[in-house]
Amino acid sequence: MLFQAADRIIKSSFYLLFFLVPFIFTPLTSELFEFNKMILTYVITVVITASWAIKSILGGKLIFRRTILDIPLLLFLTAQIISTVFSIDQHTSIWGYHSRSHGGLLSTISYLFLYWAFVSNMGKQETRSAIRNLLASALIVSIWGIAERLGSSPSCIIMKKEFGVDCWVQKVQERIFATLGQPNWFAAWLTAIIPITWAFAISKKKWWWIGMSIIFFTAILFTKSRSGLLGFGASFAVFWLTMAWLYKDRLKILTRPFLLLITFYLLLVTIFGTPWTPSATEVIQNNINRKPPTVNHPNTGTVLETGGTESGEIRKIVWNGAINTWRAYPLTGTGVETFAYSYYQFRPVEHNLTSEWDFLYNKAHNEYLNFAATTGTFGLVSYLIFIGATVWLIASRLRSGQNLLPALLAGHASILITNFFGFSVVNVAILFFLFPALAWSVTSDKLEVTSRNKKFSILQIASILLLILVTCYLLLKVFHVWYADVLFTKSKNLATEGSYALSLERIESALSLRTDEPRYYDQLAKITSSIALELEEKGDGASAQLANEASRYATTISPYNLNLLKSRVTILYRLVQVDQQYLHEALPVLEKAVELAPTDPKVRYNLGVLYGRLGQIERAEEVLEESVTLKPNYYDGRVGLATIYDSLGKQALAREQLEYVLQNIDPDDEEVQNKLEKLSK
């Protein structure tokens, strides 16, 4: 009885994994989408693994089905572990970057357990049921996204009980993302799933599956995702070419569904356009604002800065930085998921002349280069071996007569394309690791294992009880991770409102659940530094000391985290109002930040300002000159340098800086105009 119950739990959990994870998001946490999807994936993995272990205990042996992916997966896991051991930030490598969560060592272990659990416990019928759950989820989410395009986001109804799309800062009507969090992520997920509808359209209920395919394709178009549409093109070509090869003697079976799909797809493209099609508004605006062509000058930045640098140009720069990082750490990389820290040490200067020059890049926007930079050659090669083995696994079973296999191969191909122009997220990663499991299980009979004895032995009872305790402990720890983030988010919101006492209570509660999270110590430092300013008149320096220690500890956990270093400087600047000694403590922090981000003009600017405040004027002059050399059109750098020149009696040089601002950056800046007038007197 318990054996059958464990088996049912495994099946139901996989069905929930495919159906429920895409829907999960909540504004209660610091990141609405990926973090919550990863937490649910952890919960389901723990439940499935525990149930699988119970089946093995009752069956008297390890229930494990070997596949050709076992060695590639173990190689990949080994590479991830080695990279984590030598990581520049082990905390991030284990848990993943905080705004993504997916991609850390724990998430990789989770996906691998899901793969092995699936092939060992799911048969043909269970696999088909899992696929039906996946399709049902994709259908609902696609309709959800299409509703956003029509101006009524179901997310807003759930979160704010109001019709419309105003609950999102993003222009969701222009680029939908439904419950996935970002248009490119939504498109990548759908392009991997849509080939399954083509497979079913060939075999049964043609019009139902063609209709579903049209809904999916419409949603993909509404994301306006270039990588998504390229992935769709790859999956379409792989599927129909593979089917033509398999059905070369019966091509009539393919002709009608193929022509119907092509007709509907072309019609939709004609009506709605593609990501490369300019909108009517853009065409009109471009005609109104048409100007003679201009040449970009290295000293004035790019013309695109006013309207946003083209994403492809930015990607090339980031990819170049990723390659430079790989060259510096060729074997094991800088550590799993540490791109947000390592990139800035090798960030090309050209990045400063883009519209996103001061954006944080926590991914290389190319999954392969991301693996190269963070896990080195060992990690990249093991990843490519796994991809090759997956293709071989699916391709070797194409002759089984299952139309789902070409669909899974096509879906896998689309992921390879979308990952090339972006990066994997939780929903896509689940498909990436479980598509080969689906391909294996849909062509294999389920392992026949039953409980050996009707009565449990004492050893079995003890093992199961211990396993249940461990499972409960793991589920509790996962809940603590989630709830700690909820408390952290509440703390931030309360601090924004000025309720520092309540905010402090929340962050202390969060730290009681997670003592290893640097962001929480950083938040504690921000709150206590604010409290220290309120208590300054009473002469209470305890809060200031706590803020300093908490901030220092955050940077101890994540010593290469540039954001934490910047935050520490801000906190120390606040504490200067309590005690001037903190100004001197900020100096080595900013100097380290410059060391970690040598091409970042803003960090150098802040260091130059600090040198100025400390009376080291010549050093301030030198650093500010470096700042504007890195980014010639840097407003703050130019104005700051003019101030330093003026203090050194170099009025002519000061005027040059201010004139540069008016001629090349902002000709209508009244403050700069006034400063220039004062210098001219």
Side-chain angles (χ1 to χ4, degrees):
M1 189 73 175
L2 184 58
F3 186 92
Q4 286 77 15
D7 191 57
R8 284 194 296 271
I9 290 173
I10 292 173
K11 289 188 291 186
S12 300
S13 296
F14 272 116
Y15 300 158
L16 283 175
L17 179 75
F18 284 112
F19 181 81
L20 197 56
V21 171
F23 288 102
I24 296 300
F25 73 96
T26 174
L28 295 176
T29 51
S30 59
E31 197 281 330
L32 278 70
F33 299 95
E34 285 293 285
F35 175 72
N36 295 289
K37 295 179 193 300
M38 195 70 248
I39 288 294
L40 179 58
T41 302
Y42 284 142
V43 169
I44 292 175
T45 302
V46 170
V47 171
I48 287 175
T49 304
S51 301
W52 181 19
I54 288 174
K55 282 182 62 178
S56 296
I57 291 170
L58 296 177
K61 64 177 182 179
L62 176 63
I63 300 172
F64 185 83
R65 171 173 265 162
R66 297 197 61 180
T67 69
I68 63 172
L69 288 187
D70 293 342
I71 292 177
L73 285 174
L74 288 173
L75 281 174
F76 180 65
L77 178 60
T78 301
Q80 297 290 102
I81 292 172
I82 292 174
S83 179
T84 299
V85 170
F86 294 101
S87 173
I88 62 174
D89 191 314
Q90 288 190 344
H91 175 82
T92 300
S93 292
I94 292 170
W95 291 98
Y97 189 74
H98 65 84
S99 67
R100 297 283 180 264
S101 298
H102 152 77
L105 179 62
L106 289 180
S107 68
T108 298
I109 292 171
S110 179
Y111 298 135
L112 299 195
F113 268 100
L114 289 172
Y115 169 82
W116 281 313
F118 197 99
V119 297
S120 300
N121 294 279
M122 305 284 277
K124 295 177 182 177
Q125 188 58 44
E126 292 84 1
T127 302
R128 287 184 169 274
S129 296
I131 290 172
R132 284 194 291 270
N133 277 274
L134 176 62
L135 289 171
S137 179
L139 178 61
I140 298 171
V141 175
S142 295
I143 294 171
W144 191 305
I146 292 171
E148 288 179 335
R149 173 65 177 241
L150 298 176
S152 183
S153 172
S155 304
C156 295
I157 298 172
I158 293 171
M159 292 192 297
K160 292 196 173 182
K161 296 181 173 56
E162 61 181 32
F163 290 91
V165 294
D166 294 336
C167 65
W168 297 118
V169 175
Q170 299 91 336
K171 296 179 180 179
V172 70
Q173 277 188 273
E174 295 182 10
R175 297 189 67 193
I176 67 172
F177 53 78
T179 59
L180 276 292
Q182 209 266 5
N184 290 327
W185 304 348
F186 185 19
W189 182 65
L190 275 184
T191 55
I193 297 170
I194 196 171
I196 299 174
T197 64
W198 307 333
F200 286 142
I202 292 171
S203 55
K204 58 182 179 180
K205 296 182 181 179
K206 186 183 282 104
W207 286 106
W208 164 259
W209 296 110
I210 288 176
M212 185 180 290
S213 178
I214 290 169
I215 292 172
F216 289 178
F217 185 70
T218 302
I220 292 170
L221 286 180
F222 287 168
T223 64
K224 290 190 177 180
S225 170
R226 296 180 183 183
S227 60
L229 209 57
L230 289 172
F232 171 84
S235 66
F236 192 85
V238 169
F239 178 82
W240 290 104
L241 289 174
T242 303
M243 292 301 292
W245 174 67
L246 291 174
Y247 284 82
K248 52 182 174 291
D249 298 327
R250 297 172 291 162
L251 289 178
K252 288 184 179 180
I253 297 174
L254 308 178
T255 303
R256 191 177 181 190
F258 175 78
L259 291 176
L260 285 170
L261 286 168
I262 282 287
T263 301
F264 283 119
Y265 290 162
L266 290 176
L267 182 61
L268 289 169
V269 168
T270 302
I271 296 171
F272 299 115
T274 71
W276 295 275
T277 306
S279 66
T281 303
E282 290 172 333
V283 172
I284 294 171
Q285 194 65 38
N286 287 338
N287 287 330
I288 293 173
N289 297 330
R290 183 170 291 169
K291 297 178 181 179
T294 58
V295 178
N296 294 334
H297 191 277
N299 287 336
T300 59
T302 63
V303 174
L304 288 169
E305 284 210 52
T306 55
T309 309
E310 205 278 324
S311 61
E313 293 302 314
I314 297 176
R315 275 190 173 87
K316 291 177 184 177
I317 296 170
V318 177
W319 291 355
N320 187 31
I323 292 171
N324 291 338
T325 307
W326 182 16
R327 287 171 177 166
Y329 296 85
L331 294 180
T332 60
T334 59
V336 175
E337 281 298 281
T338 58
F339 190 78
Y341 318 137
S342 60
Y343 172 64
Y344 292 89
Q345 195 170 359
F346 306 96
R347 176 178 176 271
V349 176
E350 292 81 4
H351 204 149
N352 293 327
L353 296 180
T354 70
S355 59
E356 297 184 3
W357 70 275
D358 59 345
F359 282 24
L360 174 68
Y361 277 79
N362 50 38
K363 291 280 191 178
H365 288 266
N366 180 303
E367 191 80 341
Y368 310 96
L369 289 179
N370 201 75
F371 272 111
T374 59
T375 63
T377 303
F378 191 14
L380 177 61
V381 170
S382 66
Y383 182 67
L384 295 176
I385 289 174
F386 170 62
I387 289 173
T390 296
V391 172
W392 174 258
L393 183 152
I394 300 174
S396 65
R397 293 173 171 247
L398 287 173
R399 293 283 190 182
S400 65
Q402 289 279 358
N403 288 346
L404 282 172
L405 290 171
L408 294 174
L409 183 63
H412 181 73
S414 80
I415 293 174
L416 301 184
I417 297 297
T418 53
N419 277 354
F420 183 85
F421 294 102
F423 50 87
S424 179
V425 290
V426 175
N427 286 290
V428 175
I430 288 172
L431 300 183
F432 181 75
F433 284 97
L434 290 187
F435 266 9
L438 294 173
W440 181 279
S441 297
V442 80
T443 54
S444 305
D445 293 324
K446 186 177 180 180
L447 285 176
E448 292 298 329
V449 182
T450 57
S451 181
R452 281 189 171 186
N453 305 310
K454 294 182 179 179
K455 293 183 179 180
F456 301 152
S457 68
I458 295 176
L459 181 59
Q460 285 178 320
I461 294 173
S463 299
I464 291 172
L465 288 175
L466 178 61
L467 181 61
I468 291 173
L469 287 174
V470 172
T471 301
C472 290
Y473 172 78
L474 291 175
L475 291 175
L476 182 63
K477 294 300 289 184
V478 172
F479 173 75
H480 283 174
V481 170
W482 180 81
Y483 190 58
D485 193 77
V486 172
L487 292 170
F488 167 66
T489 306
K490 287 181 179 178
S491 175
K492 289 175 66 177
N493 294 337
L494 288 167
T496 302
E497 297 168 4
S499 302
Y500 298 123
L502 290 174
S503 178
L504 182 59
E505 288 181 10
R506 298 297 188 278
I507 197 61
E508 286 177 340
S509 297
L511 281 166
S512 69
L513 297 175
R514 285 198 71 184
T515 59
D516 63 338
E517 178 52 59
R519 289 182 303 151
Y520 298 173
Y521 288 102
D522 180 57
Q523 176 65 8
L524 176 63
K526 290 176 180 176
I527 298 166
T528 49
S529 65
S530 297
I531 293 174
L533 296 185
E534 288 187 340
L535 297 175
E536 180 189 358
E537 295 179 359
K538 300 178 182 179
D540 184 357
S543 294
Q545 185 177 355
L546 176 57
N548 186 26
E549 291 302 321
S551 175
R552 182 185 291 116
Y553 191 61
T555 57
T556 300
I557 298 174
S558 291
Y560 287 81
N561 190 324
L562 192 62
N563 273 358
L564 289 180
L565 291 173
K566 291 178 180 179
S567 178
R568 175 155 172 70
V569 171
T570 302
I571 289 164
L572 289 170
Y573 276 0
R574 284 185 194 171
L575 298 180
V576 167
Q577 300 178 51
V578 178
D579 191 330
Q580 283 292 318
Q581 68 169 350
Y582 293 114
L583 190 61
H584 295 275
E585 284 200 41
L587 183 58
V589 179
L590 266 176
E591 288 176 337
K592 182 178 180 181
V594 168
E595 181 184 338
L596 295 180
T599 64
D600 188 329
K602 184 177 286 188
V603 175
R604 285 186 186 270
Y605 166 76
N606 288 324
L607 179 59
V609 171
L610 180 55
Y611 278 133
R613 291 184 65 177
L614 292 172
Q616 301 180 35
I617 306 300
E618 290 78 9
R619 190 74 182 97
E621 176 187 12
E622 179 185 346
V623 173
L624 287 173
E625 285 176 345
E626 292 171 352
S627 175
V628 297
T629 300
L630 290 171
K631 181 175 173 59
N633 60 345
Y634 186 24
Y635 175 90
D636 290 341
R638 292 284 180 181
V639 174
L641 187 55
T643 302
I644 290 295
Y645 282 150
D646 187 28
S647 67
L648 290 171
K650 301 178 180 179
Q651 278 72 31
L653 292 177
R655 282 194 295 273
E656 285 182 14
Q657 297 304 315
L658 297 176
E659 288 170 354
Y660 184 97
V661 171
L662 294 176
Q663 292 171 8
N664 300 285
I665 301 176
D666 187 357
D668 300 319
D669 192 301
E670 293 183 4
E671 183 180 350
V672 172
Q673 289 172 355
N674 292 335
K675 287 183 177 181
L676 190 58
E677 287 178 8
K678 290 179 181 179
L679 282 172
S680 300
K681 291 180 180 179

